[in-house]
Amino acid sequence: ELAVDMERRADGTMLVRPCQALEAYPRSIIDRLDHWAATAPDRPVLADRGPEGNWRHCSYGEARAQSRAIAQYLLDLGLSAERPVVILSGNGIEHALLALGCMTAGIPFAPVSPAYSLVSKDHAKLKHIFSLLTPGLVFAAEGAPFAGALDAVMQPDMRLVVAREPAPGHASTPFAEMLAAQPTEAVDRANAAVGGDTVAKFLFTSGSTGMPKAVINTQSMICCNQVMIATALAFLRDEPPVMVDWLPWNHTAGGNHNIGIAIHNGGTLYIDDGAPTPAGIARTVRNLEEIAPTLYFNVPKGYEMLSEHLTTNDRLRETFFSRVKLLQYAGAGLAQHVWDALERLARETIGEKVMIITGYGSTETAPFAFTTTWPVARPGEVGL
């Protein structure tokens, strides 16, 4: 039970404080990776659709070993907060391994919106980010699509790493070379030096009111967040969570909240290569036909599009509702007809409703973008 104390002030402000003290949280999210690598080394932590379109899996044991190799490679380059890592491409196993390698070594990284490279014509925001960070290493899973952006920002002292498709006109290091590095005691020393105030990453605001601003995310922010979530959503401790998720890792919802839930609780995140668009929803449906999540996150438009497919696709509906315990949305209000459809479809499929909650706050900057109402507020109702 999440008991709270509520204080009502004369100006109408209501302050709500939990009665339960927050449990101790890890020094670093890498401590949780190490824990699960020791206790469940063969369990997948991540899966994505590889270049051939089939699921690729990365276990906890593999993720730990490969992130330590990457950490050694980064340390050998002499990277630091003054020369961090910039990740240009979107969600993927290589992206995650590089991020974990950075955090193992205590070297900040910045996942940047791919739109700044692939959609922008003048690359102004990307140039601004590079001028702020002065990166020492730049990563793109597929180099060729980013060639134009690389032309605009790469400098001679920056190392370019690609997993596939080298970018024309740019010398690059294969991602496999990072994985081939042999970890030494330097990795252990660097990891031991990581503390709660160590900068894990720089997340950038959207730049909708100007140029993007770098927001520091520390290890304490990330780890405290995960203990808060596991306290509020106690079912996460009953079994390893499974998620099918597309939310971009250059935002805190996808890159801290969701992937953090998987790693902190020993779960698996299946990276959804779809999106809430007419073309992308078909890929999301395909993934959800194959993988049954235990909790699910999306934006209201995504739920609206998904509910239409759930209504007509028996396989999707039966798989999706088979073990899901929570549906969470954020970014806008959930339309009443969509909420009603999700409740009706759940009752028809499994005989009961599924909890629906909302998350508030900026999905770009805040290290914690989770808020719940108890009882859960319906659309149009006011919750605490």
Side-chain angles (χ1 to χ4, degrees):
E1 181 181 355
L2 295 177
V4 298
D5 287 328
M6 185 170 69
E7 174 188 347
R8 296 179 182 270
R9 294 184 171 178
D11 62 0
T13 301
M14 292 185 293
L15 300 180
V16 180
R17 301 182 180 88
C19 298
Q20 181 179 348
L22 185 66
E23 296 179 9
Y25 48 87
R27 167 194 68 104
S28 164
I29 196 68
I30 298 303
D31 287 354
R32 298 302 290 167
L33 175 66
D34 291 347
H35 168 78
W36 293 112
T39 58
D42 297 328
R43 183 185 301 161
V45 57
L46 292 161
D48 69 5
R49 295 284 188 183
E52 305 301 322
N54 300 316
W55 286 115
R56 302 185 301 168
H57 296 83
C58 178
S59 71
Y60 276 93
E62 291 169 335
R64 181 181 186 273
Q66 293 177 16
S67 63
R68 285 175 57 81
I70 291 170
Q72 182 67 57
Y73 185 91
L74 302 177
L75 291 170
D76 290 343
L77 286 181
L79 302 187
S80 64
E82 288 69 38
R83 298 186 68 235
V85 171
V86 167
I87 300 175
L88 298 181
S89 48
N91 303 6
I93 287 178
E94 292 90 355
H95 179 148
L97 290 173
L98 179 53
L100 292 170
C102 286
M103 290 190 285
T104 298
I107 297 169
F109 68 100
V112 175
S113 171
Y116 295 170
S117 297
L118 303 178
V119 178
S120 173
K121 301 302 182 182
D122 60 8
H123 302 113
K125 291 181 178 178
L126 190 64
K127 292 176 183 177
H128 172 71
I129 289 171
F130 271 59
S131 69
L132 288 177
L133 296 184
T134 61
L137 185 145
V138 179
F139 172 74
E142 291 81 20
F146 291 87
L150 294 170
D151 290 342
V153 298
M154 288 297 292
Q155 299 295 325
D157 62 345
M158 298 177 187
R159 179 73 56 94
L160 174 63
V161 176
V162 300
R164 297 170 290 277
E165 301 178 32
H170 292 274
S172 60
T173 298
F175 186 79
E177 186 172 315
M178 301 179 78
L179 299 181
Q182 296 299 313
T184 67
E185 291 182 358
V187 173
D188 297 319
R189 290 194 300 269
N191 186 38
V194 172
D197 292 333
T198 300
V199 178
K201 66 174 73 172
F202 301 108
L203 285 184
F204 280 85
T205 62
S206 65
S208 57
T209 58
M211 283 296 174
K213 301 174 180 63
V215 180
I216 291 172
N217 284 207
T218 67
Q219 286 291 344
S220 281
M221 294 162 71
I222 294 171
C223 295
C224 174
N225 181 201
Q226 289 304 322
V227 173
M228 293 163 68
I229 294 169
T231 302
L233 305 179
F235 68 84
L236 290 173
R237 300 176 178 180
D238 295 337
E239 61 178 342
V242 175
M243 291 174 283
V244 180
D245 190 66
W246 64 267
L247 293 176
W249 291 348
N250 58 285
H251 289 186
T252 199
N256 284 336
H257 185 279
N258 295 0
I259 193 172
I261 286 175
I263 295 174
H264 182 81
N265 298 284
T268 305
L269 187 144
Y270 287 83
I271 299 169
D272 180 8
D273 57 343
T277 63
I281 191 64
R283 294 191 294 272
T284 292
V285 167
R286 176 196 178 192
N287 294 332
L288 289 172
E289 284 179 338
E290 297 179 13
I291 308 299
T294 60
L295 68 163
Y296 186 71
F297 306 97
N298 211 327
V299 296
K301 185 62 177 178
Y303 277 113
E304 181 178 358
M305 301 179 78
L306 183 61
S307 67
E308 295 172 358
H309 286 270
L310 287 167
T311 300
T312 59
N313 185 327
D314 292 344
R315 179 185 176 188
L316 171 66
R317 184 171 60 254
E318 291 168 3
T319 302
F320 182 74
F321 285 113
S322 63
R323 56 178 180 171
V324 70
K325 297 176 176 63
L326 170 72
L327 307 178
Q328 181 179 332
Y329 66 94
L334 188 65
Q336 186 69 50
H337 74 279
V338 177
W339 188 297
D340 292 343
L342 292 170
E343 289 192 336
R344 173 181 55 80
L345 290 164
R347 284 196 301 267
E348 292 175 354
T349 307
I350 60 173
E352 60 185 9
K353 296 190 294 185
V354 174
M355 181 168 64
I356 304 174
I357 65 175
T358 180
Y360 296 105
S362 168
T363 58
E364 296 160 337
T365 61
F368 181 64
F370 175 85
T371 303
T372 187
T373 61
W374 301 93
V376 177
R378 296 291 301 276
E381 296 179 345
V382 177
L384 299 177

